[in-house]
Amino acid sequence: MSKTAIYPGTFDPITFGHIDVIKKSLKIVDKLIVATTDNIEKDYLFSLEERIEILNKCLFNDLRLSKKKIKIISFDDLTVKICKKYKASIIIRGLRAVSDFEYEFQLAGMNKKLDKSVETIFLMSDIENQIISSKFIKEIGKLKGDLKKFVSKSVIKAINFKLEWKKYFFL
């Protein structure tokens, strides 16, 4: 029986920490659905459509991961409903630090209450990528810092393009 998992997140932008979690997920599931969403409480650099494009370029062009094993979607519903729609029995969540755990633990509990058939699996990125956050990536990009240690080539290109564009149109 094949196992499908959902890896939900905002991915604004996707980082090497996210990529670690994706690669580890592919070792335990047959199909991974990387699902990006808009959370009204976050300030986004990239639109939902741009994030889908960046995910595709990063995962399939830069990293050459398998399109047969990964599907990229956007969603605006409960994660457990997306699990049902795609016949996924697992939600993958990444953990960076102890501070992430309390929120993630509560979220997993709520998802279990909503749908007992869905399990949450927590995965950690490799130690060198645990400090990376999309928030820090955006800040480093705005300050013209070197992003090579944190994100793939296409993500760097997208960040540089977006920040240059914003500079000229939102003075």
Side-chain angles (χ1 to χ4, degrees):
M1 185 165 123
S2 95
K3 287 275 182 210
T4 300
I6 304 280
Y7 180 28
T10 54
F11 305 106
D12 184 45
I14 186 171
T15 69
F16 286 151
H18 296 123
I19 291 165
D20 280 350
V21 171
I22 289 169
K23 288 179 176 179
K24 289 176 182 185
S25 298
L26 292 173
K27 292 178 181 178
I28 57 176
V29 299
D30 303 300
K31 179 90 174 173
L32 181 66
I33 298 166
V34 178
T36 186
T37 187
D38 277 334
N39 178 331
I40 56 172
E41 295 183 18
K42 289 199 175 183
D43 183 28
Y44 293 101
L45 178 61
F46 297 103
S47 70
L48 192 59
E49 295 77 18
E50 289 170 325
R51 283 182 274 136
I52 293 283
E53 184 181 339
I54 292 167
L55 283 164
N56 274 295
K57 286 180 180 176
C58 175
L59 297 178
F60 303 130
N61 295 350
D62 294 351
L63 302 171
R64 302 203 184 286
L65 296 178
S66 172
K67 287 185 180 182
K68 291 179 182 173
K69 293 195 78 163
I70 300 172
K71 180 177 182 72
I72 298 169
I73 65 163
S74 63
F75 74 106
D76 62 358
D77 209 341
L78 291 170
T79 305
V80 293
K81 287 185 178 180
I82 301 304
C83 287
K84 194 171 290 287
K85 178 179 179 178
Y86 288 95
K87 296 178 175 68
S89 58
I90 300 166
I91 298 170
I92 301 289
R93 296 298 294 175
L95 291 176
R96 286 182 306 232
V98 175
S99 57
D100 289 344
F101 184 76
E102 186 175 352
Y103 170 78
E104 294 295 344
F105 180 78
Q106 290 175 334
L107 186 60
M110 292 301 288
N111 283 328
K112 192 66 167 175
K113 281 274 196 199
L114 289 167
D115 188 338
K116 291 190 183 317
S117 69
V118 177
E119 293 294 336
T120 299
I121 295 177
F122 299 110
L123 295 174
M124 294 173 50
S125 59
D126 290 340
I127 192 108
E128 66 270 10
N129 294 323
Q130 287 178 5
I131 54 149
I132 302 172
S133 75
S134 295
K135 179 182 173 186
F136 289 146
I137 297 308
K138 290 182 268 194
E139 191 171 325
I140 293 167
K142 285 175 187 171
L143 297 171
K144 299 193 183 316
D146 185 0
L147 292 169
K148 288 183 208 128
K149 295 178 184 174
F150 310 110
V151 296
S152 73
K153 288 179 183 179
S154 63
V155 177
I156 292 171
K157 229 183 237 186
I159 290 170
N160 288 338
F161 178 79
K162 184 67 146 191
L163 292 175
E164 281 300 308
W165 180 82
K166 276 187 150 191
K167 182 172 77 177
Y168 292 108
F169 291 97
F170 296 104
L171 294 175

